[in-house]
């Protein structure tokens, strides 16, 4: 029972263009969403988050959009850089809880 | 730098031989988590500690145990590892008491079963 789904295992983008990573969730009780980035041989590192009371959060080149009615969020990276090549995990959490449910990840390749 | 450290990075054990993975943190976070991640799959939460309060996930096998002797350290014990327990094990921490805190992860221990 996958409550958080990242349907694209991989994505390839040209340097300087926009990368869009997508995530869908099924549990309407989730109210906090996070994106983590993972390089090989390292643990995931927190990238950006969004609360369910917002529909957009921006941090430099990274923007997360939340569409609650569609139970969908996306991470936009613009402009994409070769150093952005990594696995990106979408994650979700319910109110006041500690349990964070992760998606299976999307591997982003940014070509120079 | 404050961080989450997992030792060892690679662990090989024999089928059925108990193994312990360790995690330490210098962040002084009161919540610590253990995740299991198999290849190309989502990290799966096994259990977490909120201070000394242990919270087991319903589908975590009885074979998996955990100890948290103090704020800084947390251990994952696998009593009788099977071939299906080969995976990456990730430790994470977060700070409770403030809403919406992200988790901080260690670099993981890759466990192989012979």
């Amino acid at each position: 029972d996958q409550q958080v789904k990242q349907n694209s295992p991989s994505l390839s983008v040209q340097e300087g263009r926009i990368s869009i990573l997508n995530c869908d969730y099924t549990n309407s009780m989730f109210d906090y969403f996070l994106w983590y980035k993972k390089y090989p041989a390292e643990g995931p590192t927190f990238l950006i988050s969004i609360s369910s009371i917002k529909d957009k959060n921006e941090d430099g080149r990274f923007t997360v959009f939340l569409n609650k009615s569609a139970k969908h969020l996306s991470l936009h990276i613009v402009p994409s850089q070769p150093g952005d090549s990594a696995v990106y995990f979408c994650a979700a959490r319910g109110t006041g809880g500690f349990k964070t449910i992760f998606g299976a990840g999307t591997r982003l390749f940014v070509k120079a | 730098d404050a961080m989450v450290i997992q030792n060892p990075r690679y662990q090989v054990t024999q089928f059925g031989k108990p193994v312990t993975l360790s995690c330490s943190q210098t962040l002084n976070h009161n919540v610590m988590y253990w995740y299991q991640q198999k290849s190309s799959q989502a990290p799966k939460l096994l259990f977490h500690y909120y201070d000394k309060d242990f919270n087991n996930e319903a589908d975590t096998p009885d074979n998996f145990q955990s100890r948290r002797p103090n704020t800084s350290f947390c251990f994952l014990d696998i009593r009788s590892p099977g071939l299906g327990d080969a995976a990456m094990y990730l430790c994470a921490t977060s700070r409770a008491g403030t809403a919406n805190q992200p988790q901080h992860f260690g670099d993981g221990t890759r466990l192989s079963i012979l």
Side-chain angles (χ1 to χ4, degrees):
Chain A
D1 177 24
Q2 283 185 280
Q3 297 186 64
V4 177
K5 298 179 184 179
Q6 294 177 257
N7 291 319
S8 298
S10 66
L11 173 69
S12 185
V13 171
Q14 198 69 34
E15 180 180 9
R17 306 295 289 268
I18 185 170
S19 296
I20 300 176
L21 296 98
N22 293 302
C23 177
D24 296 294
Y25 62 96
T26 57
N27 190 337
S28 58
M29 298 303 290
F30 289 148
D31 67 351
Y32 183 56
F33 304 89
L34 311 95
W35 285 93
Y36 288 83
K37 177 179 179 180
K38 184 183 181 305
Y39 291 118
E42 295 183 11
T45 56
F46 171 70
L47 187 60
I48 192 169
S49 64
I50 188 166
S51 166
S52 60
I53 62 173
K54 295 185 175 181
D55 55 17
K56 176 182 174 181
N57 188 26
E58 193 171 353
D59 183 1
R61 296 186 297 114
F62 302 91
T63 302
V64 56
F65 295 91
L66 175 62
N67 182 334
K68 282 181 292 182
S69 61
K71 293 192 178 69
H72 177 83
L73 63 156
S74 60
L75 174 68
H76 293 210
I77 306 173
V78 55
S80 301
Q81 299 173 354
D84 296 329
S85 297
V87 177
Y88 289 79
F89 290 99
C90 171
R93 186 186 298 170
T95 304
F98 298 109
K99 181 171 181 174
T100 304
I101 306 296
F102 283 80
T106 295
R107 185 177 297 276
L108 174 66
F109 300 92
V110 180
K111 297 175 289 186
Chain B
D1 283 345
M3 51 201 307
V4 181
I5 300 169
Q6 292 189 244
N7 284 306
R9 292 296 307 274
Y10 301 91
Q11 176 74 57
V12 181
T13 191
Q14 291 179 330
F15 181 94
K17 184 173 182 181
V19 65
T20 295
L21 310 182
S22 73
C23 177
S24 64
Q25 55 132 339
T26 59
L27 296 159
N28 204 32
H29 284 170
N30 45 1
V31 190
M32 294 188 77
Y33 311 76
W34 279 104
Y35 286 86
Q36 179 193 64
Q37 186 186 17
K38 297 188 177 180
S39 181
S40 300
Q41 295 183 21
K44 178 178 175 298
L45 182 65
L46 296 173
F47 22 59
H48 76 272
Y49 275 94
Y50 182 165
D51 293 324
K52 285 193 174 293
D53 185 20
F54 177 69
N55 297 272
N56 198 29
E57 292 301 305
D59 56 355
T60 298
D62 293 340
N63 202 23
F64 290 82
Q65 306 282 320
S66 185
R67 296 170 283 134
R68 189 179 185 186
N70 54 52
T71 300
S72 301
F73 286 88
C74 195
F75 299 99
L76 170 62
D77 301 308
I78 309 177
R79 292 190 298 185
S80 182
L83 296 178
D85 297 328
M88 174 69 80
Y89 289 87
L90 295 164
C91 174
T93 72
S94 69
R95 186 175 63 208
T98 306
N100 296 338
Q101 292 295 308
Q103 293 166 310
H104 299 254
F105 283 84
D107 288 337
T109 294
R110 182 164 296 282
L111 177 66
S112 299
I113 313 293
L114 299 180

